[in-house]
């Protein structure tokens, strides 16, 4: 039986064993409250009953191997119970106890023993609240919760027990199908849980609250499976500050912090990242109803010009479009609303038809006939303790009637989260209308659904992440001198200037052979940034200038690089790769030159990378207009830039076992058909080997 098979049993059990006292008794009570229909077998060595059910003295006495077990005993006893359950053939176990790897070396040792005890059995935790299945009524959960049974809905995986419990208490009509708190994730991690959830067609979307992922390559594979299966995934990532200092000489590592790499991972895998818990809930709700969207075009209708203006502003900030209504829809709106109403998108339909259900139905049917990617009705209910809600309910009834005619993707959205009562939201869900609470969160959800939809359509072209290479040696990295670095990359197709390695007395001869103007540089593997120490002289046009340059650099070394100077560039780029222990090799492309870290106009991708991803990254830069031909200037040779980046990425992947980092800075970008040339290169390796120089040696 595979890990996935074990997890299916654990997440949707036919029978449950609970081991322990008070917390185990609560799991029985909560399972009963949400209607678990299978057998529940309490295990306790001294009690006769638990929550009215007869106790078994130990795991061996159970009638058969349980699909799922909730173990809430002290941490030292947990290992033995898990071992007994694994020997009995249980599907999986939730370990509630804390005091494992989160509690220092002794806890780490105990967690290793727990992993060994579990064998191939699925195990959630330790140090977790548990698992809730609102589809089948199973609550392997140690506390109260606020959810209820659903026929279909979203799944949430969280690395925080309290956050998970709070999510069950939401009053926003989110249909929660499953919730798992992973705790330490000692055996069963987020990728395993996602894979099992993807096998359940009742799960419509997956929300992740992440602090970290142990295996990013496995995570990338299961997220690609989600794309292929059209199951949207969103992520709320916490702990995004730089977790540790690194000693790096290259600019690339300084430009790509941990949060940048998380963004690159999510972008690659079509995961929409959200920043707030409210947005997390609203986006999941939208995706449950509508899934990924084909585009960002929306229509909006409200009875307020202020609301219409707010929709327009918030949509613009998020790249969500409000196109003009099609001619037929606009004409119908004019007929219904009359001459006093200006017809535009977003639409302020005023209050002339307020309370007239027939007229409002015709108005909303016209809006929904626009055939955009989503259609919004902006409406906040009044307080039910002080106001009469009937006119607002009439508006919703009219919108529902119009939606039944058209089947267009539709939402009712309140400006304030409390502006849409929970019973109204649940009624809208039954009509396949998304009840959205908070305008900004709603438009964030639309933008996220558009991002996910685009990724779903291009899923076939997305490759999983390269697994991080094995650990490099602990010795300080070896830095290649500039000439060796350039030759190493040139072997993979990177264009570099013509050059010669010379001693001081042959520099002028080499310059004459190459042809002026030339560049002279000190050549030393111990100097990373030659400009900072006076190790570079540019635009030399005479022999005496070359001699003077070499003499001025004599204290830096006795070897020099003389290169023919490349002129006529339109822009300077940086292309770099650095190693990250979690994400593997990360590729950074951006505005280069001396001001690279000051400007910080960069895009980061994870390897492997396609030509299409590289060009999209270039287009995302603020300096893209310079490459495209700004104000009549020549357009850059973008194809050659992409070729250069492909060459750098190919070298990096071929040497990923010992590459620490590399920079090409600057990469001079020339006009169309003239190419792109790497005029400075820095390569640092964990070992000094000739394999770094030639493709055939890798």
């Amino acid at each position: 039986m595979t890990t996935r098979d074990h997890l299916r049993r654990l997440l949707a059990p036919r029978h449950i064993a609970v081991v322990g006292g008070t917390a185990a008794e609560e799991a029985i009570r909560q399972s009963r409250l949400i209607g678990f229909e299978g057998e529940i077998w309490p295990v306790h060595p001294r009690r006769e009953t638990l929550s009215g059910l007869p106790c078994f003295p130990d795991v061996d006495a159970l009638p058969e191997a349980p699909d799922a077990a909730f173990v809430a005993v002290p941490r030292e006893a947990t290992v033995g119970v898990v071992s007994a359950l694994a020997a009995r053939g249980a599907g999986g176990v939730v370990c509630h106890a804390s005091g494992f790897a989160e509690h220092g070396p002794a806890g780490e040792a105990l967690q290793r023993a727990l992993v060994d005890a579990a064998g191939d059995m699925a195990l959630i935790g330790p140090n977790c609240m548990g698992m809730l299945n609102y589809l089948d009524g199973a609550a392997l959960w140690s506390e109260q919760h606020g959810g209820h049974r659903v026929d279909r809905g979203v799944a949430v995986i969280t690395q925080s027990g309290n956050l998970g419990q709070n999510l069950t208490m939401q009053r926003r009509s989110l249909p929660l199908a499953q919730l798992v708190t992973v705790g330490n994730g000692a055996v069963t991690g987020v990728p395993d849980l996602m894979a099992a959830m993807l096998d359940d067609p009742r799960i419509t979307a997956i929300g992740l609250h992440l602090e970290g992922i142990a295996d990013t390559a496995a995570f990338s594979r299961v997220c690609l499976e989600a794309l292929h299966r059209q199951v949207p995934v969103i992520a709320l990532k916490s702990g995004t500050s730089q977790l540790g200092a690194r000693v790096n000489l290259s600019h690339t590592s300084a430009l790509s912090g941990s949060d940048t790499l998380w963004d690159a991972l999510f972008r690659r895998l079509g995961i929409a990242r959200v920043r707030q818990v409210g947005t997390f809930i609203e986006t999941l709700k939208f995706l449950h109803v509508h899934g990924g969207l084909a585009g960002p075009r929306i229509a909006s209708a409200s009875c307020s010009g202020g609301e219409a203006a707010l929709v327009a502003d918030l949509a613009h900030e998020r790249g969500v479009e409000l196109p003009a209504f099609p001619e037929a829809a606009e004409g119908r709106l004019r007929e219904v609303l009359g001459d006093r109403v200006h017809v535009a998108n977003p639409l302020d339909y005023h209050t002339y038809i307020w309370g007239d259900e027939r007229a409002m139905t015709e108005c909303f049917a016209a809006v929904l006939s626009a055939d955009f990617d989503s259609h919004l009705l902006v409406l906040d209910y009044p307080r039910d303790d002080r106001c009469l809600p009937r006119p607002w309910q009439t508006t919703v009834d009219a919108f529902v009637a119009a939606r039944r005619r058209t089947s267009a993707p539709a939402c009712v959205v309140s400006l304030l989260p409390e502006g849409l009562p929970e019973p109204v939201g649940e009624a809208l869900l039954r009509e396949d209308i998304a009840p959205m609470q908070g305008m900004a969160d709603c438009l964030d959800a639309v933008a996220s659904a558009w991002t996910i939809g685009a990724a779903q359509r291009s899923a076939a072209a997305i490759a999983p992440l390269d697994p991080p290479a094995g650990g490099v040696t602990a010795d300080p990295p070896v830095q290649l001198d500039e000439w060796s670095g350039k030759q190493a990359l040139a072997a993979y197709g990177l264009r570099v200037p013509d050059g010669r390695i010379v001693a001081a007395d042959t520099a002028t001869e080499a310059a004459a052979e190459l042809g002026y103007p030339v560049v002279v540089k000190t050549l030393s593997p111990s100097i990373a940034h030659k400009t900072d120490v006076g190790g570079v002289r540019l635009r030399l046009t005479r022999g005496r200038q070359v001699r003077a340059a070499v003499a001025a650099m004599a204290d830096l070394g006795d070897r020099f690089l003389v290169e023919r100077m490349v002129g006529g560039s339109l822009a300077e780029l940086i292309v770099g790769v650095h190693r990250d222990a979690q994400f593997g090799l990360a590729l950074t492309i951006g505005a280069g030159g001396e001001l690279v870290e000051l400007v910080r106009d960069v895009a980061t991708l994870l390897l492997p990378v396609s030509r299409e991803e590289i060009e999209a990254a270039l287009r995302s830069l603020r300096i893209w207009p310079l490459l495209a031909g700004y104000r009549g200037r020549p357009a850059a040779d973008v194809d050659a830039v992409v070729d250069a980046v492909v060459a750098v990425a190919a070298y990096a992947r071929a040497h990923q076992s010992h590459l620490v980092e590399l920079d090409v800075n600057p990469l001079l970008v020339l006009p169309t058909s003239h190419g792109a040339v790497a005029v400075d290169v820095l390569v640092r390796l964990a070992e000094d080997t000739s394999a770094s120089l030639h493709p055939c040696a890798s």
Side-chain angles (χ1 to χ4, degrees):
M1 186 173 289
T2 66
T3 300
R4 206 152 167 164
D5 292 329
H6 285 299
L7 261 176
R8 288 193 200 101
R9 292 175 64 194
L10 173 59
L11 294 177
R14 296 164 299 170
H15 26 61
I16 297 170
V18 296
V19 186
T22 302
E25 196 164 26
E26 188 64 31
I28 296 173
R29 193 173 79 87
Q30 295 302 328
S31 290
R32 284 171 167 170
L33 284 174
I34 56 174
F36 181 67
E37 297 177 354
E39 291 190 72
I40 302 176
W41 303 319
V43 176
H44 198 287
R46 294 180 301 277
R47 293 184 59 169
E48 292 187 3
T49 63
L50 203 65
S51 196
L53 296 175
C55 287
F56 296 89
D58 52 40
V59 169
D60 291 337
L62 293 175
E64 60 180 292
D67 282 339
F70 181 76
V71 177
V73 298
R75 64 175 188 163
E76 292 81 5
T78 297
V79 176
V81 172
V82 167
S83 179
L85 285 164
R88 191 68 200 275
V93 56
V94 170
C95 290
H96 177 56
S98 60
F100 288 85
E102 78 280 9
H103 274 210
E108 291 175 0
L110 193 62
Q111 183 159 305
R112 288 193 295 271
L114 180 68
V115 172
D116 292 340
D120 62 356
M121 183 176 64
L123 185 147
I124 295 172
N127 185 34
C128 73
M129 294 276 285
M131 180 274 291
L132 293 163
N133 180 342
Y134 294 115
L135 297 167
D136 304 302
L140 280 73
W141 193 259
S142 60
E143 299 284 351
Q144 299 181 82
H145 57 89
H148 59 85
R149 291 290 290 271
V150 296
D151 294 327
R152 56 193 292 274
V154 305
V156 172
I157 302 170
T158 172
Q159 293 178 314
S160 165
N162 201 54
L163 190 146
Q165 186 177 35
N166 291 340
L167 287 174
T168 72
M169 305 294 180
Q170 53 83 28
R171 295 174 177 84
R172 299 194 183 202
S173 309
L174 175 68
L176 192 57
Q178 282 188 348
L179 186 143
V180 179
T181 63
V182 298
N184 293 5
V187 174
T188 301
V190 171
D192 299 317
L193 290 164
M194 291 179 65
M197 289 170 173
L198 289 175
D199 290 336
D200 192 331
R202 298 171 295 176
I203 291 177
T204 55
I206 298 175
L208 306 174
H209 164 246
L210 300 174
E211 295 169 4
I213 291 289
D215 187 343
T216 50
F219 180 67
S220 74
R221 291 192 296 271
V222 74
C223 289
L224 288 180
E225 183 179 348
L227 283 180
H228 285 289
R229 292 194 180 206
Q230 306 279 295
V231 178
V233 179
I234 70 167
L236 174 65
K237 176 70 178 67
S238 60
T240 56
S241 60
Q242 189 69 31
L243 298 180
R246 271 190 311 221
V247 178
N248 289 302
L249 295 180
S250 79
H251 293 291
T252 304
S253 300
L255 293 169
S256 296
S258 63
D259 201 42
T260 300
L261 298 180
W262 279 106
D263 277 337
L265 179 68
F266 294 149
R267 186 170 55 249
R268 179 195 193 93
L269 300 175
I271 298 172
R273 182 175 187 176
V274 299
R275 304 282 178 172
Q276 302 290 337
V277 174
T279 317
F280 184 78
I281 292 172
E282 294 305 311
T283 304
L284 280 174
K285 195 192 318 178
F286 186 95
L287 293 168
H288 166 74
V289 178
H290 298 307
L293 295 182
R297 303 176 310 147
I298 67 168
S300 173
S302 67
C303 63
S304 161
E307 290 174 340
L310 184 60
V311 170
D313 291 345
L314 293 172
H316 176 74
E317 292 172 5
R318 291 156 175 79
V320 174
E321 301 171 8
L322 286 151
F325 286 114
E327 185 176 344
E330 181 179 342
R332 182 59 183 142
L333 285 169
R334 293 187 188 281
E335 291 177 13
V336 174
L337 298 175
D339 295 338
R340 291 178 292 179
V341 175
H342 174 66
V343 174
N345 186 23
L347 176 67
D348 169 15
Y349 60 84
H350 291 255
T351 56
Y352 302 120
I353 60 172
W354 185 254
D356 184 341
E357 185 171 345
R358 186 199 63 78
M360 297 185 88
T361 300
E362 294 303 318
C363 171
F364 298 148
V367 171
L368 291 164
S369 73
D371 195 27
F372 293 155
D373 300 298
S374 192
H375 307 78
L376 280 56
L377 170 65
V378 181
L379 187 73
D380 280 64
Y381 270 65
R383 295 176 60 115
D384 59 6
D385 58 341
R386 300 177 186 173
C387 307
L388 298 176
R390 184 60 224 172
W392 285 264
Q393 186 59 48
T394 297
T395 305
V396 168
D397 291 344
F399 192 69
V400 168
R403 165 59 176 63
R404 288 174 178 172
R405 286 192 203 173
T406 63
S407 298
C411 309
V412 174
V413 54
S414 58
L415 289 178
L416 298 174
E418 62 270 27
L420 202 59
E422 193 170 16
V424 175
E426 292 173 352
L428 289 170
L429 280 176
R430 291 192 290 273
E431 297 287 343
D432 290 329
I433 297 173
M436 304 299 293
Q437 292 167 256
M439 177 54 68
D441 284 342
C442 175
L443 292 171
D444 281 334
V446 170
S448 293
W450 170 35
T451 296
I452 291 168
Q456 289 173 342
R457 291 187 294 277
S458 60
I462 302 174
L465 200 65
D466 278 346
V472 299
T473 62
D475 296 329
V478 173
Q479 181 176 308
L480 302 184
D481 64 46
E482 182 180 339
W483 173 259
S484 298
K486 282 179 173 175
Q487 297 311 301
L489 288 163
Y492 285 81
L494 182 67
R495 182 180 166 190
V496 299
D498 293 336
R500 305 282 190 276
I501 300 174
V502 299
D505 58 356
T506 58
T508 56
E509 179 182 344
E513 290 177 1
L514 290 168
Y516 291 102
V518 297
V519 177
V520 175
K521 305 178 183 180
T522 186
L523 192 64
S524 170
S526 64
I527 301 176
H529 303 307
K530 295 178 285 294
T531 303
D532 295 346
V533 295
V536 179
R537 295 291 189 275
L538 306 175
R539 291 180 286 277
L540 306 181
T541 59
R542 294 179 177 82
R544 67 173 181 273
Q545 292 177 325
V546 173
R547 284 191 293 274
V550 169
M553 299 179 201
D555 60 332
L556 299 176
D558 58 2
R559 298 171 69 240
F560 304 92
L561 176 60
V562 180
E563 291 182 327
R564 183 162 187 171
M565 186 161 180
V566 179
S569 66
L570 301 175
E572 295 184 352
L573 297 179
I574 181 173
V575 181
V577 177
H578 81 278
R579 173 188 297 277
D580 183 270
Q582 184 172 27
F583 295 94
L585 296 178
L587 172 73
T588 295
I589 310 167
E594 294 181 359
L595 301 180
V596 56
E597 290 188 37
L598 180 63
V599 175
R600 301 186 74 86
D601 179 21
V602 297
T604 298
L605 305 169
L606 300 175
L607 298 184
V609 66
S610 67
R611 294 183 67 89
E612 291 75 19
E613 288 175 293
I614 293 168
E615 183 166 346
L618 289 170
R619 290 179 179 274
S620 74
L621 300 175
R622 295 193 301 275
I623 64 164
W624 170 253
L626 290 177
L627 305 182
Y630 183 66
R631 291 191 171 181
R633 299 179 186 181
D637 196 338
V638 175
D639 286 341
V641 174
V642 175
D643 289 340
V645 179
V646 167
V648 171
Y651 172 85
R653 292 190 75 198
H655 299 87
Q656 61 182 311
S657 64
H658 56 281
L659 177 67
V660 176
E661 56 192 341
L662 71 84
D663 273 356
V664 174
N665 181 35
L667 177 72
L668 298 185
V669 183
L670 305 177
T672 302
S673 302
H674 288 73
V677 185
V679 297
D680 197 6
V681 165
L682 175 105
V683 178
R684 300 175 73 214
L685 304 166
E687 56 189 23
D688 190 9
T689 170
S690 60
S692 64
L693 299 180
H694 302 292
C696 59
S698 63

